Amino acid sequence: MPRGALLLGDRGPSELVLVRHGESIGNIADRKARESGAERLDLELRDADVPLSDTGREQADAVGGLLDRLDDERSPELVITSPYRRARETADHALRAWAGELDLVVDERVRERDLGRFDGMTSAGIKAQFAEEAERRSRIGKFYYVPPSGESWCDVALRIRSLLADLREGYDGRRVWVFTHEAVIMSFRYVLESLTEEELLEIGRTTALPNCSVTTYRSEGHGLQLVSFAETAHVEESDAATTTEPSKTERAAGAR
């Protein structure tokens, strides 16, 4: 029996497509902070309000082009987005470029992982200002560690399990697209594929998840099975640049 077969059984979406948001001004601020060795990003907005960059909007349009090339038997029947501005803008741009008639369903369960007091900080800043926490994270491990007032990866996985339960009951045999964040997409992989902690972290260490990349699962008789991960051909074929800035979760963890 394939791993993950007990999670959705024979019910649930026939296809689940996960799209990481386009490049945001937060990604750009992160790059500048790392290059300068700063302890914090030069960004005044709260994380939920960070918009796309110009490049991010072009990447989102490329997702719309991908949607436009799908026939009726492959087009989404439900589109879910994180409430965070960068993800919702990505979905808005993609759907406009596609000219589809679906409404967006905003679901807070696919929002970015909350880093609590570490939000807006670089790995260097966390080590400098929260030395004890940096040591505790090293001892506990990235997967189970909870930043002060924040969430662990396990907390994100619980949100995903809740969403999948709803999709199993209400969207059996439907095609579902989700516009979301890197930590959430990785948590989908953890849940749907019954990955171990070590397997999940190894994927995070060795495989980049570019902005507006697409990860696809399809039902093959025993639940949803991974078809492709971090696909970017649609971006590469457009005029948009391909960017692989780490998410804020990876930045704060110092993973790469």
Side-chain angles (χ1 to χ4, degrees):
M1 179 179 293
R3 295 174 71 175
L6 295 179
L7 295 168
L8 287 176
D10 295 328
R11 292 183 300 156
S14 61
E15 184 173 72
L16 178 65
V17 179
L18 310 171
V19 183
R20 188 186 176 193
H21 63 80
E23 183 191 63
S24 71
I25 65 168
N27 293 140
I28 296 173
D30 167 55
R31 182 167 60 245
K32 292 179 178 178
R34 286 186 288 112
E35 289 173 352
S36 67
E39 295 185 358
R40 296 194 67 89
L41 276 64
D42 184 14
L43 197 62
E44 297 296 328
L45 298 169
R46 65 173 186 157
D47 190 45
D49 297 329
V50 172
L52 293 178
S53 67
D54 290 341
T55 295
R57 286 187 285 273
E58 293 173 353
Q59 293 166 341
D61 288 340
V63 177
L66 172 63
L67 283 165
D68 202 42
R69 291 190 292 273
L70 299 178
D71 58 35
D72 291 342
E73 294 182 355
R74 290 290 310 282
S75 295
E77 299 171 281
L78 172 68
V79 180
I80 299 171
T81 182
S82 159
Y84 280 31
R85 180 174 174 181
R86 56 191 179 276
R88 188 161 183 170
E89 283 187 351
T90 302
D92 284 336
H93 274 268
L95 294 188
R96 281 200 298 271
W98 172 42
E101 297 181 356
L102 291 180
D103 293 329
L104 280 176
V105 175
V106 179
D107 196 311
E108 72 284 347
R109 289 174 293 185
V110 294
R111 71 187 187 277
E112 177 65 283
R113 179 187 169 202
D114 187 351
L115 293 181
R117 295 184 66 187
F118 292 172
D119 189 41
M121 301 185 69
T122 63
S123 178
I126 293 169
K127 291 176 181 177
Q129 299 181 38
F130 294 92
E132 291 185 1
E133 285 295 324
E135 189 281 328
R136 189 168 74 89
R137 179 197 174 279
S138 178
R139 175 165 42 85
I140 294 173
K142 171 182 171 181
F143 187 74
Y144 293 107
Y145 173 71
V146 183
S149 303
E151 292 180 297
S152 70
W153 281 76
C154 291
D155 294 322
V156 180
L158 286 173
R159 296 198 245 125
I160 300 314
R161 294 185 191 279
S162 171
L163 176 63
L164 288 171
D166 285 353
L167 293 177
R168 181 175 64 238
E169 295 299 326
Y171 291 90
D172 185 35
R174 310 291 288 276
R175 297 179 297 275
V176 179
W177 283 52
V178 181
F179 288 79
T180 186
H181 309 266
E182 182 171 8
V184 177
I185 293 171
M186 295 298 289
S187 294
F188 268 106
R189 289 207 63 175
Y190 173 75
V191 172
L192 288 172
E193 300 171 48
S194 294
L195 298 178
T196 65
E197 173 190 0
E198 292 77 16
E199 288 171 334
L200 180 70
L201 297 183
E202 179 63 17
I203 294 170
R205 282 191 294 267
T206 60
T207 307
L209 193 63
N211 296 110
C212 276
S213 61
V214 171
T215 296
T216 302
Y217 288 87
R218 292 197 189 105
S219 177
E220 298 181 355
H222 296 286
L224 291 166
Q225 305 298 322
L226 183 66
V227 175
S228 63
F229 176 57
E231 179 62 51
T232 58
H234 53 288
V235 177
E236 294 164 6
E237 293 167 0
S238 73
D239 293 331
T242 301
T243 54
T244 56
E245 297 297 331
S247 69
K248 76 186 190 75
T249 294
E250 300 304 312
R251 180 184 70 239
R256 49 176 195 267

